[in-house]
């Protein structure tokens, strides 16, 4: 009778093991993912609602959380005029406000600014994936 209980016991033990949960997001990873999400949402908004005047006059949102000027950029965007006809703008402003709060309050000590070039947030340099030929 003992050998027939062994497979049942193994099945019971294997089925009851807790699943491994991924580590919770860090402040940095949360800021980075939210800034990318905001940038993507802004680009999508410009593509889908280009005829709305209020969308055309919104400040540009190219976010780099390593650039000190990003805090002013976020403040300017939230303070920009309301877009009553476009609900996506209000949702985007809520995300921007959330990122500003995270960066300025909760994760302030985790931030490391590598630049203070405000023009880089207005006219970002496109990222290339082609490596230079290193012939010596």
């Amino acid at each position: 009778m003992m050998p027939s209980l062994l497979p049942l016991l193994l099945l019971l033990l294997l089925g009851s093991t807790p699943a491994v949960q991924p580590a919770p997001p860090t402040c940095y990873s949360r800021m980075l993912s939210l800034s990318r999400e905001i940038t993507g949402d802004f680009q999508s908004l410009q593509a889908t609602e280009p005829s709305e005047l209020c969308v055309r006059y919104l400040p540009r949102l190219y976010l780099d959380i390593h650039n000190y000027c990003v805090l002013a950029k976020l403040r300017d965007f939230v303070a920009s005029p309301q877009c009553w006809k476009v609900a996506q703008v209000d949702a985007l402003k809520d995300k921007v406000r959330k990122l500003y709060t995270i960066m300025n309050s909760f994760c302030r000590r985790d931030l490391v600014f590598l630049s203070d070039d405000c023009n880089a947030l207005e006219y970002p340099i496109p990222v290339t994936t082609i490596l230079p030929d290193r012939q010596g």
Side-chain angles (χ1 to χ4, degrees):
M1 192 171 234
M2 189 65 135
S4 64
L5 288 176
L6 186 60
L8 183 60
L9 182 62
L10 284 174
L11 183 62
L12 184 64
L13 288 174
L14 290 175
S16 66
T17 57
V20 176
Q21 296 294 324
T26 62
C27 266
Y28 177 77
S29 66
R30 180 65 182 131
M31 288 184 294
L32 191 60
S33 66
L34 189 54
S35 69
R36 288 178 179 164
E37 185 180 333
I38 289 168
T39 300
D41 288 354
F42 179 73
Q43 290 170 347
S44 174
L45 178 67
Q46 285 187 316
T48 59
E49 299 289 343
S51 62
E52 285 292 333
L53 276 177
C54 64
V55 172
R56 275 193 273 170
Y57 292 112
L58 286 171
R60 293 180 181 202
L61 269 184
Y62 299 107
L63 302 181
D64 176 6
I65 63 169
H66 302 103
N67 187 329
Y68 183 75
C69 296
V70 75
L71 294 171
K73 180 64 116 174
L74 294 171
R75 276 193 314 267
D76 290 349
F77 189 83
V78 170
S80 63
Q82 293 291 329
C83 243
W84 300 111
K85 295 179 184 177
V86 185
Q88 295 97 325
V89 173
D90 289 333
L92 186 58
K93 283 187 176 190
D94 286 342
K95 285 182 184 179
V96 169
R97 196 174 293 113
K98 182 187 294 187
L99 178 60
Y100 181 81
T101 302
I102 290 171
M103 290 180 76
N104 208 30
S105 300
F106 303 117
C107 301
R108 187 180 193 107
R109 292 180 305 217
D110 295 346
L111 283 174
V112 175
F113 295 114
L114 304 175
S115 167
D116 62 353
D117 181 8
C118 296
N119 284 332
L121 296 177
E122 290 295 320
Y123 307 101
I125 299 170
V127 177
T128 59
T129 55
I130 301 170
L131 298 175
D133 186 21
R134 293 188 179 197
Q135 294 178 355

